[in-house]
């Protein structure tokens, strides 16, 4: 074993080696030798830098310094690969440093391919390098970027692209890929900082140093060596990220960064990557969200992202539920994005203080905010909008705990943002539209955030809510902001609409009170009453008396208040509307009949009165009075509400409360005035409650006093309302309460004598009630009675306003005396006054003509009779009972209802039998005789009078008349009057007189209603039923309605046995079987008047309305229960009479139907449900309303009923939807639509297909209204279907059940293939919605078929008018192409195309095969432009967006398109050609070559231009859309493109020209394909198609033109035979181009003329073409002749040329033989063509004169002849000819050698020619100048003397004298000098 070397020996040996290497470097005397040595020794040399010896390292460094100078030439290649390998293997820092130096220096010198090969090596271990040495890694990353510029990435989706990751070595070690993607992302964010202190957005200072190699200035300067273009590098980086080198998770963030870059070339690619990567990257990944937030917010080392990137990030975060868990970051986003961008405005002191405090705690302490440029203008507005959307999102989807962590701070941030703009008054500097919008968003966001975090709102002081209300009141930014504040308040409304803490409820009430009551004191503030009222009505319970008071206070604003405020206030006082505003959240809707819930409880009457009016105690009387006086407009509503609450409270205590519905007020009135039991219980309750309850008694007194105040003091508005309610209250109030009010009766005196009639009546009535009480002073009573007596005694002399006084006095005395008599109170001279009052009233009835006084007298008789003050025995003389009756009868005949009532009331005091019997009979006869008056109201009054006359106070019509407590007044006893009256009325019912029939049925109706409880009436119910039934056939509508209503009343009054008997009899009469009832009704009996129930169907009646009883019986027949007949009698009771007369208060169906329900009716008749349910949607509103009433009465819980009876109802509806009657069909559609709403799919899944099928059938109904209803049902079905198909696992399972049924149906004969246009359109609309919302996985199996069907629909749905306009385009001043362009635009934006694209997006490997069949069928069967263009767009989409899936089908569709591309429509052909271009990306080389061959064949075999156009478009499409494939096969197709670009058709020519230009490097590129071009062109020179033949000839000429100034002999020899062939044959348009190219070939290819055979051939060609007789072509041929003879100076062609041109010149110049020349192709005239021909001919002749080849004699002859012709041509005065002559003469005289003189013999012919040249007066300056130059050339070759010199001298002098042009003069001077 050898001994180890010593350290010195090692050092010496290493130094020796280095020296040897250094010597090798020094001996390399050339760059190539040095390069060779470097390849071997550079890497080992640098490896010595790892030596332990300093001397060795220093020696290596010294050698490197020497090398650095030697390797500066860029031609020297360095061993980069070896150095890179050494870098990866070595760990020594110094070695690595020098390796990198030479790698960077040598990288750009390497060929691109070799550089690209280094990329896997560079990338290997790149992530690990960063930990070892960041500077070295930065250099390596820079190397990577430089290499990326050199590599060619494979097409996306190709096999090479898929394998790229493995090829680069990134497949196994993902750290390198992650590292590379991360730094490419930072590169995209990077931008050079203007200063070192400026923080780059999104990256740190260290990152910036990494990217610019620690501040090197030349890194990103492309002009410097090794420098890169930052923009270009970013574009390359983004393209690399899009490749298969990275997976989606790695490129997601870099793609996001790229998408926000301003450069569209980068952002478009970034958007595409992001869209693709989003499929596999979940936004619910915690790490992804963390990275996004870190990028957005930044850190201590780097600032947050730029504003565009922030907006992008927020858009992603606003789709992630996981983002809501990052509470601190959410708060930072809000504070930094809003507060930091808001400049201070004008805020309140407190607001400023809070704002500054919050900002200092959040934004201003964040250094990242200070280091980042704040967004301005539109950028800030967009950022704010994105922030608001994000904050709203996280608040919506966040968990309760997460929301509680960030919402309070966000709300504070938003408040500060608003306050910084100025709050509540926004400063003018912040009122730009953008800032206003941001302010609006802020308010709305506050509302939404507060709603999802109730604790923020539900604080004891309600700070936030107060702030919002103040903002609404005082913010001055206009309606947009105020609307947003209202939205915010609406958002938080639900938070308070719960059971609130007592303290919060109290504070809320105070806040609302302040906003409702203090508006007037703030004149500059906005009215907040409406919002405050909404809070009061939604958030405070109904029993809160102060909340009800707030509604009254709002109503007190009067008509000047906004309408919505008044409506909201009215709703707040109505329990029905309150319940609608605050429904029970039980999932089953609102039970309006339940008031058990505490929220719906009524306020306590005493508490309510205390809040509204103030309790009237001795010490509070003045304040109560003040409060009442403040209610100037709302006294009536206030009294009404207190009165209604009292009645409700009383009735509830006795379990008689009415149903809380829309008619609640009316029900209370009806119970009080018409129901004796209810009235009695109300009075009893009030009496019992008042007994010993001072508080209640005080409340009653206060309401009475307020009512009186409101009635007496208010002169505007509904001032009668308090008086009317006071009458009601006085009649039911305890005596003590009314006694407190009676002393104020005198206050009514002004109203009693006033002008207003209604107020006069009420005031008189009130005075009677109050003054008749014991508490009213007897003296005062006597005094007032005397006043009244004095007035009515003077009735005869009363005129004008005194009549009102008399009227009031009579009424006041009447009401007072009648009530005094009933109370049995003693008054002085009471009898005397009574007698006087009666006497004067009767006198008025007999003699007075004043209607007002007669009315007062009638009322007097009526009231006094009711209270037994007036009777036959008490009638004062000279009057008697008969005279009273006669007088009243006389007034009644004029239609006075008061007189009729007076007759009835007076009859109550007349005894049966005896002397008074005749009077009673006369009254009854008088009433009976009044039937002739056809006034329904009067007839009802008669009926009421008959009931009073027959039964006295037992008549229910007098229930509300008795307003004095105690027993009823005395009346005459009755035993048989009612019996007689009923018998008489029943007899009258059989009369044939229309008036009597109408009157009698109304009377009978009244008798049944008012006396039906009596035994006498009960015994006649069967007869009454028969009578009422007989009126159903009457022609008079009122008579029919009365009969129908009467039947209902009879049914209602009878017991169960009677009801059954009546039903049996009625059914018997209708069915034709025997019955005990008299009379029958047929199915054609008219029940409704013409037009009352219009249907629009004129097949039955003239006006198209329902008139027969048969229609009303339909429901009963369907159900099979005849008892429904009575229920449906109510359909005729919709006349206003029934609802306007309080006497019929509780008419309606509820009690009857409720009774039927209680008897188990519905349980026995389930068929009722579908029929009733359908009738609720009847087209006729009357039927609809009635059926809704029936339904509400029968069905207590609608939701539960429809749930349990769903199948029954649905079966019935589906049976009736195709019924014979249009009304049934229409109602059924609406009913099904309503029934399906809110039901789960499982409930009706089994019916779904039947419903769809039947719906589409009805959509084609003959009646429009039925079609409309069917379409509405179809829309409901669509919405249900869409909701069922929405994304989600549950929905996916649902959709998998639905779609297999629905889609075939929609695509089948019942849908898209239906003959009905409406059905087609809706099926399509539904289909589009299904495609739009369906889960991809579920819809994927149907996608192929859908694509084919939708493509076909593009044409079938296009309006026919488009085709008409297309065929007649010229009539409308349009072209077919313009129309097609419009059609194309409509297709691009068509919803159908969107649906097709979505279907294509759903495809996978399995479904693509099915798509091939579908698309192929569509291609072969489609006939319209839209469908065909749509197919092409679908193919384009498949080729671009789904290339990986569609690659296998590309060849097949290319073959199909070849057979379809030749469409008659150019637009379709173009679309198919474009599709071919895109398909070429995916097709195989074989198929692509076949496509090229097809295009060539299409072009060369084309019978017309269209085929060649299509060929051009196919080739251009492939070149444009599959550039790489086109380039790979360029040698095959470019020769054809070159030939075709010479087509004579401009469109074809330009298309091929663009294709050629875009795919070759320059004009000389033709030389690359010269053999192929010549071969192809030569082959088609013999084509039978002239266009192709000419194109081939032009192509050969084009080859010559593109070959440059020097054409090699080989190329020339290849071109010439084809050129010779092209010039054969007769002349044709454009042949001159080929001839010109022939001359050019002779010029550029000397070998042609050097070859004698070729020269002779070319000479023969030129001579032959010059002799052509085509006038347009001949001028070019002669010009070419001249050029050719100049090319052969050694040959003499003069004689040949002269023989050719002499006949031409002679023919042109001799008029006698003028040629017949047509207009040229360029629109040239014959003269112009002749001039150009003459110029070419003379030019050729002059050029053919060759002094060198002709003897002097010959030269003289030729020149003389030429001069003669030139002089002769002067006669045409043609500038073109003159120019040609002078241009040709210059080279002629140049042929004389310098110093050679013109032979003397030549001077003679030149004299005339020179004279001609001087004779150029009037010619252009340029021509004169050229002529002088020719003369100067002749002069320079003259002898020293001779005639020609003299002639030139003389001519020059003369020309000088007249010449003005300086250049010409200068030339003439030269001539003079030459001749002198």
């Amino acid at each position: 074993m050898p001994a180890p070397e010593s350290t010195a020996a090692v050092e010496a040996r290493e130094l020796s080696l280095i020296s040897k290497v250094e010597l090798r470097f020094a001996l390399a005397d050339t760059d190539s030798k040095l390069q060779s040595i470097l390849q071997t020794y550079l890497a080992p040399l640098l490896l010595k830098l790892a030596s332990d010896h300093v001397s060795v390292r220093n020696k290596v460094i010294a050698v490197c310094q020497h090398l650095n100078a030697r390797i500066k030439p860029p031609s020297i290649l360095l061993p980069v690969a070896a150095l890179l390998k050494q870098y990866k293997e070595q760990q020594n820092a110094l070695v690595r440093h020098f390796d990198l130096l030479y790698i960077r220096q040598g990288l750009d010198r390497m060929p691109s391919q070799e550089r690209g090969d280094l990329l896997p090596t560079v990338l290997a271990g790149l992530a690990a390098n960063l930990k070892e040495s960041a500077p070295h890694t930065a250099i390596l990353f820079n190397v990577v970027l430089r290499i990326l510029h050199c590599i060619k990435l494979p097409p996306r989706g190709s096999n090479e692209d898929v394998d790229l990751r493995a090829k680069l070595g990134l497949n196994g070690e993902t750290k390198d890929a992650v590292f590379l993607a991360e730094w490419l992302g930072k590169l995209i964010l990077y931008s050079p900082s203007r200063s070192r202190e400026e923080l780059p957005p999104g990256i740190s200072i260290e990152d910036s140093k990494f990217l610019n190699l620690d501040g090197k200035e030349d890194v990103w300067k492309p002009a410097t060596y090794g420098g890169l273009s930052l923009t270009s590098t970013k574009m390359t980086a983004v393209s690399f990220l899009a490749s298969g080198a990275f997976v989606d998770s790695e490129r997601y963030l870099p793609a996001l960064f790229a998408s926000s870059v301003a450069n569209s070339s980068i952002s478009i690619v970034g958007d595409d990557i992001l869209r693709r990567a989003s499929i596999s990257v979940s936004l619910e990944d915690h790490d992804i969200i963390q990275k996004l937030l870190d990028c957005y917010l930044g850190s201590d080392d780097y600032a947050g992202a730029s504003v565009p990137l922030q907006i992008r990030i927020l858009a992603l975060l606003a789709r992630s539920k996981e983002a809501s868990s990052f509470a601190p970051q959410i708060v930072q986003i809000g504070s930094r994005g809003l507060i930091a961008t808001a400049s201070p405005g004008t805020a309140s002191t407190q607001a400023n203080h809070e704002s500054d405090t919050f900002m200092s705690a959040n934004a201003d302490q964040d250094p990242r905010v200070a280091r980042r440029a704040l967004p301005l203008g539109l950028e800030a507005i967009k950022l704010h909008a994105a922030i608001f959307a994000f904050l709203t999102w996280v608040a919506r989807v966040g968990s309760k705990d997460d929301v509680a962590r960030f919402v309070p701070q966000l709300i504070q941030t938003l408040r500060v943002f608003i306050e910084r703009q100025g709050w509540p008054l926004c400063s003018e500097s912040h009122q730009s539209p953008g800032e206003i919008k941001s302010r609006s968003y802020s308010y709305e966001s506050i509302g939404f955030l507060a709603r999802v975090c109730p604790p923020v709102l539900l604080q004891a002081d309600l700070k936030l809510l107060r702030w919002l209300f103040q903002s609404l009141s005082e913010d001055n930014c206009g309606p947009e902001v105020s609307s947003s504040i209202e939205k915010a308040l609406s958002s938080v409304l639900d938070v308070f609409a719960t059971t609130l803490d007592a303290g919060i409820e109290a504070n809320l009430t105070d806040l609302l009170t302040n906003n409702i009551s203090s508006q007037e004191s703030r004149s500059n503030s906005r009215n907040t009453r409406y919002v405050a009222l909404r809070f009061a009505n939604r958030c405070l319970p109904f029993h809160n008396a102060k909340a009800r008071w707030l509604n009254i206070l709002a109503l007190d604003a009067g008509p000047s208040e906004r309408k919505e405020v008044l409506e909201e206030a009215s709703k707040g006082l109505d329990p029905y509307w309150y319940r609608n505003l605050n429904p029970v959240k039980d999932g089953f809707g609102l039970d309006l009949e339940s008031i058990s819930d505490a929220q719906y409880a009524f306020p306590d009457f005493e508490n309510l009165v205390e809040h509204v009016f103030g309790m009237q105690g001795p010490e509070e009387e003045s304040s109560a009075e003040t409060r009442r006086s403040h209610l100037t407009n709302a006294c009536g509503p206030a009294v009404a509400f207190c009165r209604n609450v009292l009645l409700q409270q009383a009735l509830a205590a006795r379990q008689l409360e009415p149903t809380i519905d829309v008619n609640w007020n009316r029900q209370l009135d009806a119970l009080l005035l018409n129901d004796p039991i209810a009235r009695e219980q109300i009075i009893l309750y009030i009496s019992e409650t008042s007994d010993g309850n001072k508080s209640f008694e005080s409340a009653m007194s206060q309401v009475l006093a307020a009512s009186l105040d409101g009635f007496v003091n208010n002169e505007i508005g509904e001032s009668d309302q308090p008086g009317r309610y006071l009458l009601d209250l006085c009649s039911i109030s305890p005596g003590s309460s009314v006694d407190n009010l009676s002393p104020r009766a005198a206050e009514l005196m002004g109203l009693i004598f006033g002008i207003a009639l209604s107020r006069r009546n009420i005031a008189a009535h009130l005075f009677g009630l109050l003054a008749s009480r014991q508490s009213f002073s007897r003296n005062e009573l006597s005094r007032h009675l005397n006043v009244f007596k004095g007035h009515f005694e003077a009735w005869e002399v009363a005129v004008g306003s005194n009549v009102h006084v008399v009227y009031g006095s009579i009424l006041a005395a009447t009401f007072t005396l009648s009530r005094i008599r009933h109370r049995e109170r003693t008054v002085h001279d009471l009898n005397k006054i009574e007698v006087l009052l009666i006497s004067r009233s009767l006198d008025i009835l007999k003699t007075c003509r004043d209607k007002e006084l007669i009315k007062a007298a009638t009322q007097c008789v009526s009231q006094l009779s009711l209270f037994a003050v007036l009777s036959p025995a008490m009638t004062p003389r000279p009057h008697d009972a008969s005279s009273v009756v006669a007088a009243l009868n006389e007034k009644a005949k004029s239609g006075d209802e008061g007189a009729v009532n007076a007759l009835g009331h007076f009859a109550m005091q007349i005894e049966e039998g005896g002397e008074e019997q005749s009077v009673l009979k006369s009254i009854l006869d008088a009433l009976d005789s009044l039937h002739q008056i056809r006034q329904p109201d009067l007839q009802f009054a008669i009926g009421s009078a008959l009931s009073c006359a027959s039964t006295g106070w037992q008549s229910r019509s007098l229930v509300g008349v008795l307003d004095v407590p105690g027993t009823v007044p005395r009346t005459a006893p009755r035993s048989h009057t009612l019996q007689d009256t009923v018998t008489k009325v029943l007899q009258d019912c059989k009369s044939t007189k229309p008036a009597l029939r109408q009157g009698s049925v109304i009377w009978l109706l009244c008798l049944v209603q008012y006396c039906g409880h009596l035994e006498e009436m009960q015994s006649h119910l069967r007869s009454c039923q028969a009578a009422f039934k007989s009126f159903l056939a009457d022609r008079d509508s009122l008579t029919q309605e009365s009969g129908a209503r009467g039947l209902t009343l009879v049914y209602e009054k009878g017991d169960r046995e009677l009801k059954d008997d009546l039903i049996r009899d009625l059914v018997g009469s209708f069915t034709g079987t025997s019955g005990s009832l008299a009379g029958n009704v047929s199915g054609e009996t008219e029940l409704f008047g013409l037009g009352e129930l219009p249907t629009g169907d004129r097949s039955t009646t003239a006006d198209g309305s329902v008139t027969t009883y048969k229609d009303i019986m339909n429901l009963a027949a369907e159900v099979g229960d005849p008892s429904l007949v009575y229920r449906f009698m109510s359909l005729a009771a919709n006349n206003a009479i029934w609802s306007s007369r309080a006497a019929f208060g509780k008419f309606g169906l509820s009690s009857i139907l409720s009774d039927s329900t209680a008897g188990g009716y519905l349980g026995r008749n389930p068929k009722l449900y579908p029929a009733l349910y359908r009738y609720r949607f009847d087209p006729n509103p009357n039927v609809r309303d009635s059926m809704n009433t029936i339904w509400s009465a029968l069905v207590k819980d609608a939701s539960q009923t429809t749930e349990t009876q769903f199948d029954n109802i649905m079966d019935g509806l589906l049976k009736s939807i195709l019924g014979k009657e249009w009304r049934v069909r229409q109602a059924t559609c609406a009913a099904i639509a309503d029934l399906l709403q809110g039901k789960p799919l499982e409930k009706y899944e089994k019916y779904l297909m039947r419903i769809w099928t039947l719906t589409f059938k009805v959509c084609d109904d003959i009646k429009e209204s039925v079609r409309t209803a069917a379409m509405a049902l179809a829309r409901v079905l669509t919405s249900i279907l869409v909701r069922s198909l929405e994304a989600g696992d549950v929905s996916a399972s649902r959709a998998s059940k639905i779609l297999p049924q629905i889609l075939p149906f929609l695509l089948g004969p019942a849908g898209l293939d239906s003959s009905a246009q409406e059905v087609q359109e809706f099926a399509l609309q539904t289909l589009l919605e299904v495609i739009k919302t369906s889960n991809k996985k579920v819809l994927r199996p149907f996608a192929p078929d859908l694509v084919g069907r939708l493509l076909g629909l593009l044409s079938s749905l296009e309006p026919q008018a488009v085709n008409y306009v297309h065929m007649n385009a010229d009539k409308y001043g349009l072209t077919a192409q313009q129309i097609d362009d419009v059609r194309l635009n409509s297709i691009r934006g068509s919803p159908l195309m969107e649906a097709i694209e979505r279907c294509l997006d759903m495809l996978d490997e399995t479904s693509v095969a099915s798509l091939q069949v579908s698309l192929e069928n569509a291609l072969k069967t489609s006939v319209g432009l839209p469908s065909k263009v749509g197919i092409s767009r679908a193919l384009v989409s498949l080729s671009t967006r789904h290339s990986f899936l569609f690659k296998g089908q590309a060849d097949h569709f290319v073959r199909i398109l070849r057979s379809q591309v030749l469409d008659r429509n150019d637009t379709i052909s173009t679309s198919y050609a474009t599709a071919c271009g895109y398909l070429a990306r995916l097709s195989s080389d074989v198929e692509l070559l076949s496509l090229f061959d097809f295009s060539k064949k299409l072009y060369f075999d084309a019978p017309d231009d269209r085929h060649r156009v299509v060929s051009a478009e196919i080739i251009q499409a492939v070149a444009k859309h599959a550039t790489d494939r086109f380039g790979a096969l360029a040698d095959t197709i470019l020769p054809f493109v070159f030939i075709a670009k010479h087509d004579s058709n401009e469109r074809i020519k330009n298309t091929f020209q663009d294709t050629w230009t875009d795919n070759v490097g320059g004009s000389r590129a033709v030389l690359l394909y010269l053999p192929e071009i010549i071969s192809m062109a030569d082959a088609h020179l013999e084509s039978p198609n002239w266009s192709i033949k000419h194109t081939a000839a032009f192509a050969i000429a084009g080859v010559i033109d593109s070959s440059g100034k020097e054409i090699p002999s080989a190329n020339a020899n290849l071109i010439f035979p084809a050129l010779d062939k092209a010039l054969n044959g007769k002349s044709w348009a454009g042949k001159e181009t080929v001839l010109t190219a022939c001359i050019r070939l002779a010029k550029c290819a000397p070998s042609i003329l050097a070859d004698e055979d070729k020269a002779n051939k070319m000479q023969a060609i030129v001579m032959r073409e010059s002799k052509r007789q085509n006038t347009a072509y001949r001028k070019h041929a002669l010009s070419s002749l001249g050029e050719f003879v100049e090319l052969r100076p050694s040959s003499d062609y003069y004689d040949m040329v002269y023989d050719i041109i002499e006949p031409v010149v002679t023919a042109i110049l001799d008029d006698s033989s003028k040629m017949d020349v047509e207009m040229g192709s360029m629109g040239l005239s014959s003269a112009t063509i002749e001039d150009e021909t003459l110029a070419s001919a003379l030019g050729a002749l002059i050029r053919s004169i060759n002094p060198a080849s002709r003897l002097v004699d010959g030269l003289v002859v030729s020149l003389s002849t030429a001069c003669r012709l030139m002089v002769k041509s002067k006669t045409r005065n043609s500038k073109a000819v003159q120019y040609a002559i002078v241009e040709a003469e210059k080279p002629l005289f140049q042929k004389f050698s310098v110093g050679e003189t013109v032979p003397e013999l030549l001077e003679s012919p030149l004299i005339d020619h020179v004279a001609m040249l001087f004779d150029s007066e009037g010619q252009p300056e340029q021509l004169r100048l050229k002529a002088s130059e020719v003369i100067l050339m002749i002069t320079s070759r003259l002898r020293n003397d001779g005639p020609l010199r003299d002639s030139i001298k003389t001519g020059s002098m003369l020309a000088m004298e007249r010449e003005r042009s300086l250049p010409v003069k200068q030339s003439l001077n030269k001539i003079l000098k030459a001749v002198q």
Side-chain angles (χ1 to χ4, degrees), residues 76-77 145 158 294 462 470 524 543 598 625 652 670-671 962 979 1029 1044 1066 1094 1164 1219 1222 1312 1351 1377 1649 1775 1810:
I76 300 177
L77 301 181
L145 296 180
S158 64
D294 290 344
L462 300 177
Q470 185 178 355
N524 294 327
H543 63 72
E625 180 66 27
L671 289 170
L962 186 60
Q979 180 78 18
K1029 188 166 70 71
L1066 189 59
R1164 299 192 307 271
W1222 68 267
L1312 292 176
L1351 288 171
Q1377 188 58 48
L1649 295 181
K1775 297 175 184 177
V1810 168

Side-chain angles (χ1 to χ4, degrees), residues 36-219:
S36 176
I37 296 172
L38 288 172
Q39 297 294 328
T40 305
Y41 294 106
L42 180 58
L45 175 65
L46 297 179
L47 188 59
K48 292 299 180 181
L49 289 170
S51 173
D52 296 333
H53 307 290
V54 176
S55 59
V56 174
R57 295 196 297 271
N58 290 336
K59 180 64 174 178
V60 173
I61 293 173
V63 173
C64 289
Q65 290 174 346
H66 166 71
L67 276 177
N68 290 341
R70 293 285 308 275
I71 63 175
K72 283 184 179 181
S75 59
I76 300 177
L77 301 181
L78 301 181
V80 176
L83 293 173
L84 185 59
K85 182 175 182 296
Q86 180 171 284
Y87 174 88
K88 294 292 183 179
E89 295 172 351
Q90 291 295 319
Q91 300 298 322
N92 185 278
L94 190 60
V95 174
R96 284 189 160 195
H97 176 73
F98 275 85
D99 284 339
L100 288 177
L101 287 179
Y102 290 108
I103 289 172
R104 287 194 66 207
Q105 190 171 1
L107 186 66
D108 291 338
R109 303 179 182 185
M110 299 177 66
S112 297
Q113 181 64 39
E114 294 182 13
R115 268 185 281 175
D117 294 339
L118 294 176
L119 186 58
T121 306
V122 179
L123 294 179
L126 196 59
N129 291 148
L130 183 63
K131 299 177 181 179
E132 299 169 359
S133 175
H136 291 169
T137 310
I139 296 174
L140 279 180
F141 182 72
N142 183 267
V143 169
V144 171
L145 296 180
R146 292 162 67 182
I147 293 175
L148 287 179
H149 284 280
C150 303
I151 65 173
K152 183 178 181 181
L153 295 172
R156 188 183 302 175
S158 64
N159 294 333
E160 295 82 359
D161 186 54
V162 173
D163 298 337
L164 182 61
R165 185 176 177 88
K167 181 180 179 181
L168 296 178
L170 301 176
N171 207 14
E173 185 56 57
T174 59
K175 291 182 180 180
D176 291 335
V178 172
F179 171 85
L180 184 59
E182 177 183 352
W183 279 100
L184 289 176
K186 291 181 179 181
L187 171 67
I188 293 169
L189 292 176
Y190 174 75
S191 59
S193 302
R194 285 170 289 184
S195 63
R196 296 184 62 86
E197 293 77 16
E198 185 178 349
L199 188 63
I203 60 175
S204 66
I205 293 292
E206 295 302 321
D207 294 339
S208 180
K209 290 180 178 179
F210 183 93
L211 293 171
N212 61 21
L213 302 182
D214 200 16
K216 291 184 178 180
E217 297 181 356
D218 59 347
V219 175

Side-chain angles (χ1 to χ4, degrees), residues 1223-1234:
R1223 287 177 295 158
V1224 173
R1225 300 194 299 272
Q1226 182 173 333
T1228 303
C1229 290
I1232 294 176
D1234 183 78

Side-chain angles (χ1 to χ4, degrees), residues 1666-1732:
S1666 300
K1667 297 176 182 179
R1668 301 288 184 187
Q1669 297 301 308
N1670 185 300
T1671 55
Y1673 174 70
R1674 183 165 51 189
K1675 61 180 181 179
H1676 301 289
L1678 293 176
S1679 177
S1680 298
L1681 175 61
E1683 294 181 32
F1684 176 76
V1685 297
E1686 279 191 329
L1687 295 176
R1688 304 199 71 186
S1690 60
S1691 302
D1692 184 7
Y1693 288 104
Y1694 177 79
D1695 295 332
M1696 300 172 63
V1697 171
Y1698 181 80
D1699 292 339
I1700 294 172
I1701 66 103
E1702 193 275 336
V1704 176
V1705 173
T1706 304
I1708 293 174
L1709 296 178
D1710 292 345
D1711 293 338
S1712 59
S1713 58
K1714 191 170 182 63
M1715 292 182 294
D1716 184 16
V1717 180
E1718 298 179 355
M1719 300 293 286
S1721 60
M1722 300 300 293
L1724 300 176
S1725 65
S1726 300
T1728 303
I1729 294 177
E1730 288 177 351
D1731 287 345
E1732 293 178 353

